Amino acid sequence: MTKSDLSLERIAEMMDELAAYAGQTIVIKIGGNSIDEDPDFLPSMAEQVEFLQSRRIRLVLVHGGGPQIDRALTEAGIQSPKRADGRRPTTAAAMVVVEQVMHAISRAVANALEKRGCRVYTAASANRLFIDVKPFANVPDGLENLAGRPTQVDADDLRAELDRGNILVLHCLGRGPEQQVFNTNADDYAMAVAMALGARRLMLATNIKGVLDANKMLIERLSPTTARALIANGTISGGMIPKVESALCALEGGVDGIVIIDAHIKWSLLGEILTHKGFGTLLARE
Ligand code: ADP
Ligand code: MG
């Protein structure tokens, strides 16, 4: 017989892990980069999400759209620089493009799930916004800004859709102070939703192995103290900043485990949930 990594003990561990999630909520954030770079990503994600739902796990998918938005803005000749922390102030002109791109990505995510027979509730199709957003404070002078950070989440409305047996597909748009459509970073959005729903897990799936140290080596377990130090000294920069900051916030808010994982690794979503070793970077209390 050929040797395998499996043992009865290992299989029992996976089954216990899965059983412990029944009735609980997992929030998965999928990066715009992952969708953009890998045509196999959405079908593979859908296969894993369908499996989890069939085991009575409640699933919320949040997506961004960074590279798709960058491309569409360039084509439209609209400037929309990102801040040093990877978050994007959004002008009214850029917002028109952002909304179109977000709706298109939501449809692509929902289609991948529907192809597998999943029931999906999509905020974009329902034309609903589920969060309040507080505008960024320090934006350059004269820049009219329609972006900020999530404050309040309509958690009861999201729960009602999960209760109906739907998988939720949410873009990262919300309501500004005057009820205008406001943009947020999808990592920030996913964190706010995970906290409001009391999710057991927040998974931030991206296009890189996880958080890398100054020597570009994967950090498997990251404590809040080290995470803050790596942001302060610039080792963690750009789009990784909102992920790590969101993870820290969710940890403080009581979410059990936050992982930053490579969405391109086959079965990484399931593997992360079912095995103790996991993939990517786990943010955990010291
Ligand atoms: P997503 O679309 O998944 O949100 P982002 O481009 O916003 O992806 O953020 C992920 C990027 O952050 C990585 O591809 C990498 O270029 C950058 N990054 C900056 N610092 C680090 C770090 N220390 N470890 C890993 N990635 C980092
Ligand atoms: Mg990002």
Side-chain angles (χ1 to χ4, degrees):
M1 217 179 245
T2 321
K3 215 166 172 275
S4 102
D5 284 348
L6 285 174
S7 62
L8 262 189
E9 213 176 10
R10 185 104 195 281
I11 291 167
E13 171 194 302
M14 290 184 190
M15 290 176 72
D16 289 348
E17 206 69 42
L18 195 57
Y21 274 96
Q24 308 246 11
T25 303
I26 298 179
V27 176
I28 303 173
K29 184 264 174 161
I30 51 187
N33 279 309
S34 314
I35 300 170
D36 205 43
E37 289 164 12
D38 183 355
D40 294 333
F41 169 70
L42 283 181
S44 158
M45 179 278 303
E47 194 176 8
Q48 297 175 77
V49 166
E50 180 203 1
F51 175 85
L52 292 171
Q53 199 200 25
S54 73
R55 299 304 190 275
R56 297 209 309 112
I57 297 172
R58 292 152 71 92
L59 288 143
V60 181
L61 304 185
V62 176
H63 68 79
Q68 296 88 336
I69 291 169
D70 285 337
R71 247 187 342 258
L73 287 171
T74 308
E75 275 166 24
I78 299 169
Q79 294 221 333
S80 178
K82 280 196 185 171
R83 309 192 323 169
D85 66 0
R87 297 178 174 97
R88 184 197 305 269
T90 309
T91 60
M95 195 61 187
V96 176
V97 173
V98 168
E99 276 195 82
Q100 282 167 356
V101 173
M102 288 294 188
H103 282 235
I105 298 177
S106 279
R107 258 197 310 279
V109 175
N111 283 348
L113 289 162
E114 280 162 358
K115 259 193 198 154
R116 301 206 63 89
C118 296
R119 278 184 31 205
V120 184
Y121 174 89
T122 314
S125 309
N127 218 2
R128 276 271 341 243
L129 301 170
F130 288 96
I131 62 163
D132 292 325
V133 183
K134 182 169 181 256
F136 290 133
N138 314 314
V139 288
D141 270 356
L143 183 78
E144 144 218 39
N145 171 44
L146 301 175
R149 291 177 190 256
T151 51
Q152 186 276 141
V153 177
D154 302 343
D156 287 342
D157 296 345
L158 292 175
R159 265 190 215 106
E161 291 305 330
L162 288 168
D163 289 344
R164 290 188 186 105
N166 289 316
I167 294 170
L168 308 191
V169 173
L170 308 175
H171 53 35
C172 52
L173 301 176
R175 295 177 295 259
E178 270 114 48
Q179 306 299 304
Q180 332 88 303
V181 180
F182 253 56
N183 196 10
T184 67
N185 178 278
D187 300 317
D188 290 337
Y189 184 110
M191 178 266 295
V193 167
M195 281 168 60
L197 293 177
R200 183 171 174 133
R201 270 281 176 120
L202 169 61
M203 306 176 83
L204 303 170
T206 185
N207 64 339
I208 197 159
K209 280 188 287 184
V211 182
L212 308 183
D213 66 16
N215 300 316
K216 305 281 173 219
M217 298 299 286
L218 175 69
I219 304 171
E220 287 183 8
R221 194 186 166 99
L222 185 57
S223 71
T225 313
T226 312
R228 285 190 196 96
L230 293 181
I231 291 175
N233 73 18
T235 306
I236 293 173
S237 64
M240 194 47 76
I241 294 179
K243 293 184 205 310
V244 173
E245 285 180 351
S246 294
L248 292 175
C249 217
L251 260 191
E252 277 163 23
V255 177
D256 261 355
I258 297 99
V259 282
I260 298 171
I261 54 170
D262 190 341
H264 304 307
I265 297 177
K266 186 82 183 153
W267 304 121
S268 57
L269 298 176
L270 288 184
E272 182 55 52
I273 292 167
L274 299 184
T275 63
H276 282 307
K277 176 153 185 341
F279 293 80
T281 301
L282 173 72
L283 273 282
R285 294 176 193 91
E286 337 266 307

